[in-house]
mmCIF file of all heavy atoms in Angstrom:
data_model
loop_
_atom_site.group_PDB
_atom_site.id
_atom_site.type_symbol
_atom_site.label_atom_id
_atom_site.label_comp_id
_atom_site.label_asym_id
_atom_site.label_seq_id
_atom_site.Cartn_x
_atom_site.Cartn_y
_atom_site.Cartn_z
ATOM 1 N N ASP D 241 249.670 104.911 54.855
ATOM 2 C CA ASP D 241 250.458 105.918 55.557
ATOM 3 C C ASP D 241 251.868 105.414 55.856
ATOM 4 O O ASP D 241 252.066 104.303 56.336
ATOM 5 C CB ASP D 241 249.766 106.277 56.877
ATOM 6 C CG ASP D 241 250.698 107.025 57.795
ATOM 7 O OD1 ASP D 241 250.932 108.220 57.501
ATOM 8 O OD2 ASP D 241 251.214 106.419 58.752
ATOM 9 N N LEU D 242 252.829 106.256 55.566
ATOM 10 C CA LEU D 242 254.222 105.930 55.879
ATOM 11 C C LEU D 242 254.758 106.860 56.961
ATOM 12 O O LEU D 242 255.369 106.441 57.930
ATOM 13 C CB LEU D 242 255.077 106.051 54.611
ATOM 14 C CG LEU D 242 256.592 105.945 54.802
ATOM 15 C CD1 LEU D 242 256.969 104.556 55.311
ATOM 16 C CD2 LEU D 242 257.324 106.248 53.495
ATOM 17 N N ALA D 245 253.627 106.218 60.500
ATOM 18 C CA ALA D 245 254.149 104.920 60.933
ATOM 19 C C ALA D 245 255.627 105.059 61.295
ATOM 20 O O ALA D 245 256.098 104.494 62.283
ATOM 21 C CB ALA D 245 253.957 103.890 59.836
ATOM 22 N N LEU D 246 256.389 105.817 60.504
ATOM 23 C CA LEU D 246 257.812 106.017 60.780
ATOM 24 C C LEU D 246 258.013 106.715 62.113
ATOM 25 O O LEU D 246 258.931 106.402 62.869
ATOM 26 C CB LEU D 246 258.450 106.857 59.669
ATOM 27 C CG LEU D 246 258.845 106.103 58.404
ATOM 28 C CD1 LEU D 246 259.314 107.075 57.340
ATOM 29 C CD2 LEU D 246 259.939 105.086 58.734
ATOM 30 N N VAL D 249 255.718 104.476 65.314
ATOM 31 C CA VAL D 249 255.999 103.062 65.595
ATOM 32 C C VAL D 249 257.510 102.886 65.641
ATOM 33 O O VAL D 249 258.162 102.733 64.612
ATOM 34 C CB VAL D 249 255.395 102.141 64.511
ATOM 35 C CG1 VAL D 249 255.585 100.672 64.898
ATOM 36 C CG2 VAL D 249 253.933 102.457 64.299
ATOM 37 N N GLN D 255 256.526 97.335 62.767
ATOM 38 C CA GLN D 255 256.368 98.238 61.631
ATOM 39 C C GLN D 255 255.495 97.648 60.531
ATOM 40 O O GLN D 255 255.558 96.458 60.235
ATOM 41 C CB GLN D 255 257.741 98.621 61.087
ATOM 42 C CG GLN D 255 258.395 99.659 61.982
ATOM 43 C CD GLN D 255 259.839 99.885 61.657
ATOM 44 O OE1 GLN D 255 260.463 99.098 60.949
ATOM 45 N NE2 GLN D 255 260.388 100.973 62.192
ATOM 46 N N PRO D 256 254.688 98.484 59.913
ATOM 47 C CA PRO D 256 253.763 98.013 58.874
ATOM 48 C C PRO D 256 254.443 97.866 57.515
ATOM 49 O O PRO D 256 255.616 98.179 57.360
ATOM 50 C CB PRO D 256 252.716 99.118 58.823
ATOM 51 C CG PRO D 256 253.461 100.348 59.194
ATOM 52 C CD PRO D 256 254.516 99.917 60.172
ATOM 53 N N MET D 257 253.680 97.422 56.521
ATOM 54 C CA MET D 257 254.218 97.153 55.188
ATOM 55 C C MET D 257 254.846 98.369 54.536
ATOM 56 O O MET D 257 255.842 98.256 53.825
ATOM 57 C CB MET D 257 253.109 96.628 54.276
ATOM 58 C CG MET D 257 252.671 95.226 54.631
ATOM 59 S SD MET D 257 251.193 94.819 53.724
ATOM 60 C CE MET D 257 251.925 94.124 52.271
ATOM 61 N N THR D 258 254.245 99.519 54.732
ATOM 62 C CA THR D 258 254.777 100.715 54.051
ATOM 63 C C THR D 258 256.219 100.962 54.469
ATOM 64 O O THR D 258 257.075 101.276 53.638
ATOM 65 C CB THR D 258 253.934 101.957 54.387
ATOM 66 O OG1 THR D 258 253.678 101.968 55.784
ATOM 67 C CG2 THR D 258 252.624 101.970 53.619
ATOM 68 N N VAL D 259 256.479 100.794 55.774
ATOM 69 C CA VAL D 259 257.839 101.003 56.260
ATOM 70 C C VAL D 259 258.754 99.897 55.724
ATOM 71 O O VAL D 259 259.869 100.141 55.282
ATOM 72 C CB VAL D 259 257.861 101.018 57.802
ATOM 73 C CG1 VAL D 259 259.298 101.123 58.316
ATOM 74 C CG2 VAL D 259 257.006 102.160 58.332
ATOM 75 N N LYS D 260 258.214 98.673 55.731
ATOM 76 C CA LYS D 260 258.994 97.522 55.266
ATOM 77 C C LYS D 260 259.405 97.704 53.796
ATOM 78 O O LYS D 260 260.528 97.385 53.417
ATOM 79 C CB LYS D 260 258.136 96.259 55.404
ATOM 80 C CG LYS D 260 258.943 95.024 55.586
ATOM 81 C CD LYS D 260 259.457 94.952 57.004
ATOM 82 C CE LYS D 260 260.684 94.085 57.096
ATOM 83 N NZ LYS D 260 261.342 94.291 58.409
ATOM 84 N N ILE D 261 258.484 98.222 53.006
ATOM 85 C CA ILE D 261 258.787 98.377 51.576
ATOM 86 C C ILE D 261 259.934 99.359 51.376
ATOM 87 O O ILE D 261 260.806 99.150 50.527
ATOM 88 C CB ILE D 261 257.531 98.811 50.804
ATOM 89 C CG1 ILE D 261 256.618 97.591 50.648
ATOM 90 C CG2 ILE D 261 257.885 99.372 49.424
ATOM 91 C CD1 ILE D 261 255.406 97.837 49.793
ATOM 92 N N THR D 262 259.963 100.426 52.156
ATOM 93 C CA THR D 262 261.084 101.363 51.999
ATOM 94 C C THR D 262 262.399 100.670 52.314
ATOM 95 O O THR D 262 263.423 100.956 51.686
ATOM 96 C CB THR D 262 260.934 102.592 52.926
ATOM 97 O OG1 THR D 262 260.829 102.131 54.271
ATOM 98 C CG2 THR D 262 259.725 103.431 52.560
ATOM 99 N N GLN D 263 262.347 99.745 53.272
ATOM 100 C CA GLN D 263 263.587 99.020 53.594
ATOM 101 C C GLN D 263 263.972 98.058 52.471
ATOM 102 O O GLN D 263 265.138 97.937 52.113
ATOM 103 C CB GLN D 263 263.422 98.252 54.909
ATOM 104 C CG GLN D 263 263.292 99.194 56.098
ATOM 105 C CD GLN D 263 262.761 98.501 57.338
ATOM 106 O OE1 GLN D 263 262.541 97.292 57.343
ATOM 107 N NE2 GLN D 263 262.551 99.275 58.391
ATOM 108 N N LEU D 264 262.929 97.396 51.903
ATOM 109 C CA LEU D 264 263.202 96.498 50.775
ATOM 110 C C LEU D 264 263.817 97.270 49.618
ATOM 111 O O LEU D 264 264.696 96.775 48.912
ATOM 112 C CB LEU D 264 261.916 95.823 50.297
ATOM 113 C CG LEU D 264 261.322 94.760 51.218
ATOM 114 C CD1 LEU D 264 260.058 94.186 50.609
ATOM 115 C CD2 LEU D 264 262.331 93.650 51.471
#
Side-chain angles (χ1 to χ4, degrees):
Chain D
D241 165 74
L242 171 64
L246 278 174
V249 185
Q255 283 169 345
M257 289 170 90
T258 45
V259 175
K260 207 77 203 167
I261 284 186
T262 57
Q263 292 165 3
L264 289 180

